[in-house]
Amino acid sequence: GAFAAAARTALDVLAAFGFSRDPDVQFARRIWGPARAERRTWVPVKTPRLPRSQETVACYGMLIEDRSGAEVVLRDSREEVQHSSLLRVNHNRPVTGVLVSDEVPDSGSDDPDYAYEAVIALRTSRGHKRGLALIRARDLPPLRDVLDGLDQLVLWDDCFADDVAILTALRAWLSDGGSLWIMLDRVDFAGVERLLGETFTCQLVNRVALDQVAIESAEPRHQTAAAAAESYEQPLDFARVMVTDMQITHKVQGWPAAFWRPVGRGRVVFTTLGAHAWICRATAQRTRWDPERMTDFEPKPVLEELPLIQARTPPLGRPELFRDYLSERIGYRIASRGPVSAILGVFCAGLLLAGVVLARRRRLEHLAWISPCLALLAAVPLAGLGWRSQRAIPATVGQAQFLEVAEGADQVTASGLLACYDPAPAMAAAGARRGGVFEPEATPETRTTRRMVWTDLDQWHWENLRLTAGLRMAPFHWSSDLSERLEVRGTFTAEGFVARWTGKTLALADAVLAVPGQPCLAVRADGSRLLARPGDVLARGRYVEDRWLSDEQRRRQAVIEQMLRPEAEEVRELPGPLLLGWSDAVDMGFQFPRHPAQFGTALWSLPLKIDRPAGGTRVVIPSPFLPFSAVNRPATENQSSLYDRRTGVWVPAQKPTETWLRFQVPAAVLPLRIERARLMLQITAPSRTVQIVRRAGERTQPLHTVDNPIGQVELTLDGATLPDLDAAGRLLLGLLVGATADEGTGARA
């Protein structure tokens, strides 16, 4: 929200916003201004949940003077108390925004803005609505949170380059899963360098104008025929660049025309050629007054191939993963058995004694009122014990953090869950002094309006926040620049995989290496090294090395298991090898003055950089670094239906099967001469014969035969039995399962 105010006297007020749909929550910012001045400010707000059928929500804003102890709403004599309006809600995903410094030309003008038309054309061709979020750079608050509603952002001029606060917000949003499209033919390289830092590994050679352009795919499999050159009356701007560590997708005259690279969970896509070359006039023209008219242009196939206009990448660690973890560490203390047993024993003894006495006097009917009285007498001390046990735990706050370090950027983003326990209902004070945002779960109707008040760029607090007795959760997100590079680099040695810290060192407990689609690999701290040997491979579904787990390790195991469980549809696939480890919580500046007892834990996720060993080095490669695919035939790429690579699960088969396992050797060790390989299979194939074979030219050569295998089968290959590596560094082995009458087969490699 934004507010502009003019005053005849000095101004020290709250600018507050709210929504009629959610009247119990307000968002405000304290502002100050001198007399006879106009003040324009911003207030971050969170829109209430709306059904997809509702496209607008009523909102209001007002100025509140509260320095006297009472809140007074300020207004001009000719204005209303509240400034109301309808806020349009965009349910169309993904959402694309553009930073602009002036008005965007009308799409139907004689001289269209081709950059604008290219974005619109690409959105509409992929089935999304035309609408863009046009954001004036001077109106953009310097907060990462205001960009959370965007999936991608287009930079086509330099309006962002000179505002340090905006650059910081953009970097945090990008590392947290955002996507940038930077048009280098229109943007100054110095501004991009300030934004991306060391991740912008691109050097400008010169800028030229081209009147004939042929865009070619950089990947041969996409290049079906030589691209025809097109002529343009108005020459196109082209920035000739040299790039490193970038994925080049298209070229013009041998120079990169489009390339991209990941930054954290986000992605940056660069184009160096004028936008007119990426689009063409639509074949189906529409009249200007057609209400369904989207754009007069459509994207060329080369633009469709770029990784643009995609949904935002979600975080690997979701806040709800930590709900059970925190619930187990905070809770009511159960009264001890001794006093409870004594009270119940006295009650039973009293009831028995009363029954015996009344039976001798033949007055048992009096038990009808004596029994409730005795029960009431027993309930009073039990209630007292429960009340004392409930208050034996002080007001406590627990934090469970998931910290992601961005690859190639000195940035860390955090998401997670706060758990607040209060033994009795009370008004609570809470806030932040280093950025980050959290909102407690909704409480029952309290007839008070809780207000989130911003007092500075990264400082805010809740007012009128009433917490009920018991445990309440609050999801949060936070981001920060790293003062020192935090990176793990490793290589393969004769011991296994050895890694070292670059820059700052973290003391991690229960650390594992997580490789996409593979079991985890336990990591041992060996002085300044992190060592993972072939024997440290964990069984599938295990994420803690110890055989006997403590309560804390059991909770950690459950969190990572939910996070990496491949069967869950919402789980994000790992982008590459990651180092996962636990440490104490990081101080994020969240403040809870009422809660003296606080604890926290942090799960770190760090990208793993694999360096090439020195030539002639003998290396041992643990099995998780050798991912494999299962194919039907040795000379094809058709995936076998018996193996789900995403989940790592084999499908039982009733008939004879032929499956070929294609193991991929890490690129960092290629070229490689294999001396020995060990294959371990877990097979259940009763009454069958299983053959392990290799290809020798056009023939199939048996290596090992097992009859009636049940359990683990281990085979060591060396010398003449070793399969050859193909040109892509892949090793091929076949698994042939013979026929049986009525037994099923399942295999796991």
Side-chain angles (χ1 to χ4, degrees), residues 11-14 62-65 72-76 79-83:
L11 199 67
D12 189 1
V13 297
L14 288 176
M62 55 186 175
L63 293 176
I64 302 174
E65 198 284 318
V72 179
V73 180
L74 304 180
R75 69 182 181 93
D76 189 83
E79 295 181 348
E80 299 292 334
V81 173
Q82 293 183 352
H83 301 265

Side-chain angles (χ1 to χ4, degrees), residues 597-651:
Q598 299 189 17
F599 72 91
T601 189
L603 174 58
W604 288 84
S605 171
L606 298 103
L608 190 65
K609 302 294 290 184
I610 302 178
D611 297 325
R612 179 182 295 276
T617 302
R618 187 184 299 272
V619 300
V620 175
I621 305 174
S623 62
F625 290 101
L626 296 166
F628 69 90
S629 59
V631 295
N632 293 323
R633 294 289 184 269
T636 66
E637 298 290 339
N638 297 329
Q639 297 295 315
S640 172
S641 60
L642 298 178
Y643 178 68
D644 187 341
R645 185 175 183 180
R646 191 180 74 90
T647 61
V649 175
W650 288 86
V651 179

Side-chain angles (χ1 to χ4, degrees), residues 282-345:
T283 54
Q285 296 288 335
R286 298 186 178 93
T287 58
R288 291 193 62 177
W289 54 86
D290 184 354
E292 300 297 326
R293 180 175 178 270
M294 304 294 275
T295 179
D296 291 334
F297 296 87
E298 62 184 14
K300 294 180 180 179
V302 288
L303 182 58
E304 292 274 18
E305 293 172 3
L306 299 183
L308 294 168
I309 318 298
Q310 298 176 353
R312 188 171 174 180
T313 305
L316 184 64
R318 306 177 307 280
E320 57 268 22
L321 295 177
F322 298 99
R323 186 174 294 272
D324 292 341
Y325 178 95
L326 291 172
S327 297
E328 289 188 20
R329 293 197 59 179
I330 305 180
Y332 298 102
R333 180 175 298 171
I334 301 174
S336 59
R337 296 181 180 179
V340 173
S341 300
I343 293 173
L344 292 179

